[in-house]
Amino acid sequence: MDNEWFETVAEAQRRAKRRLPRSVYSALLAGSEQGVTVADNSAAFAELGFAPHVAGLSDIRDLSTTLMGQPMSFPAMISPTGVQAVHPDGEVAVARAAAARGIPMGLSLFASKPIEDVVAANPQTFFQLHWVGSRDFLLHMVERARAAGAAGLILTMDWSFSEGRDWGSPAIPERVDLRTMVRFAPEAVMHPRWLGRWARSGSIPDLTAPNLTPPGGAPPTFFGAYREWMSTPLPTWEDIAWLREQWGGPFMLKGITRVDDAERAVDIGCTALSVSNHGGNNLDGTPASIRLLPSIVGAVGDRVEITLDGGVRRGSDIAKAVALGARAVLIGRAYLWGLAAAGQSGVENVLDILRGGLDSTVLGLGHSTVHGLSPSDIVVLTN
């Protein structure tokens, strides 16, 4: 049944681990090489604490804000993640959950569902691009996003193609065919609920990337698209400026970890920045996003909206990021675990947990809105 409530994101992760085949669950785990960065993304939040008030608290709290012109019921949006074979409804279920909870949806270029279907489920959808293929192909994808009604673009730049993991990389097939089904059958039959969802949907996991379909062509496989991305010449700042101009609307540059890059992004007219290390999947040893946030806010926070992506697992994490200057956070693996645990209702469950935790933190800190959060609310914990 896809309506089982859980009380924490950690429990959503435990259920996802139980209910997904090992290869599918492994694909949801972050990290590269030694996993230093993915561990630090969460550990750094635990080094920040609060000093709550005990009286004069606000009975009513407004958690709403805006990002790139879009209203949000609380300062979080769905971070774009690739092919979501954890559930047959994939990104459409996530988009519906986000719409039901009043937050925007970020849709990955490598998503398993086409942008048209996702925008129909949530008009507040931001389409994410990687710099892949020629300028003509990028312009084709920009125009497709515009025609679909996307609210904005996200260009993700934080990737160095680090592939090795000390704990081993997941076994992901090129495509799901008869040979693949035979190979992975022992895993699948050990997880009847996951298998049953797909059986009831009348489909099988689709490892293609429909949003990368060339004009008049067929959707590439995920790895086919990935290889095309890896072989594309790396973009310059002039290339990024060109893409922003072609879009002409709200434009977020994702992957900022340095002040000088943040300043260049502002100079070329980006609407928003995402302080992000790709969830720990980029260059291992990059510090946690929350460690890098204050310096970037200090440098450009008065000229551009700044978000944070990486390690958010609790509503109090959102409060910490907002207190340190983020306009909002991007949620990644937390909602994927909810999707795996209970489909759309599981994603809604995760979002409710995060919103509830944020509300409790804003209450305890004596504020009536999230805009009251500031660095003075944060206590740096020392050993």
Side-chain angles (χ1 to χ4, degrees), residues 3 12 17 44 65 124 142 148 153 165 190 201 222 264 281 300 333 335 340 347 352 358 361 364 383:
N3 61 352
K17 185 174 183 179
T65 188
Q124 288 185 290
V142 165
L153 285 188
R165 296 174 172 179
M190 294 296 292
S201 74
F222 177 84
R264 290 293 298 271
N281 284 324
V300 300
R333 282 167 190 83
Y335 79 78
V347 180
D352 289 343
L358 174 62
T361 306
N383 293 328

Side-chain angles (χ1 to χ4, degrees), residues 188-218:
V189 298
M190 294 296 292
H191 296 82
R193 298 181 69 168
W194 177 83
L195 190 61
R197 285 176 181 166
W198 285 98
R200 290 191 297 274
S201 74
S203 62
I204 59 176
D206 184 1
L207 300 184
T208 62
N211 295 305
L212 275 157
T213 303

Side-chain angles (χ1 to χ4, degrees), residues 156-235:
T156 294
M157 298 297 296
D158 51 339
W159 194 270
S160 60
F161 302 113
S162 298
E163 296 181 349
R165 296 174 172 179
D166 288 0
W167 57 95
S169 297
I172 304 175
E174 180 79 21
R175 57 177 53 84
V176 179
D177 51 20
L178 180 59
R179 181 177 180 179
T180 299
M181 287 189 282
V182 170
R183 176 187 172 191
F184 286 90
E187 284 189 40
V189 298
M190 294 296 292
H191 296 82
R193 298 181 69 168
W194 177 83
L195 190 61
R197 285 176 181 166
W198 285 98
R200 290 191 297 274
S201 74
S203 62
I204 59 176
D206 184 1
L207 300 184
T208 62
N211 295 305
L212 275 157
T213 303
T221 65
F222 177 84
F223 283 111
Y226 185 81
R227 287 189 291 269
E228 173 72 13
W229 177 28
M230 291 182 68
S231 64
T232 300
L234 298 174

Side-chain angles (χ1 to χ4, degrees), residues 1 5 12 23 54 71 81 139 142 150 203 236 240 273 276 322 326 362:
M1 296 175 62
W5 179 84
S23 296
V54 295
T81 60
L139 188 56
V142 165
S203 62
T236 64
I240 298 171
L273 308 179
S276 169
V322 173
V362 173

Side-chain angles (χ1 to χ4, degrees), residues 23-102:
S23 296
V24 178
Y25 177 74
S26 296
L28 299 186
L29 297 178
S32 63
E33 298 182 338
Q34 191 178 350
V36 171
T37 296
V38 68
D40 196 42
N41 270 347
S42 297
F45 276 109
E47 295 175 12
L48 301 175
F50 303 110
H53 293 284
V54 295
L57 307 181
S58 176
D59 291 313
I60 300 174
R61 290 159 306 280
D62 182 3
L63 304 184
S64 65
T65 188
T66 61
L67 177 66
M68 294 190 286
Q70 296 296 314
M72 313 167 73
S73 64
F74 69 106
M77 72 173 285
I78 297 297
S79 187
T81 60
V83 177
Q84 294 178 8
V86 299
H87 192 281
D89 294 336
E91 295 85 359
V92 171
V94 178
R96 289 172 179 158
R101 295 302 183 262

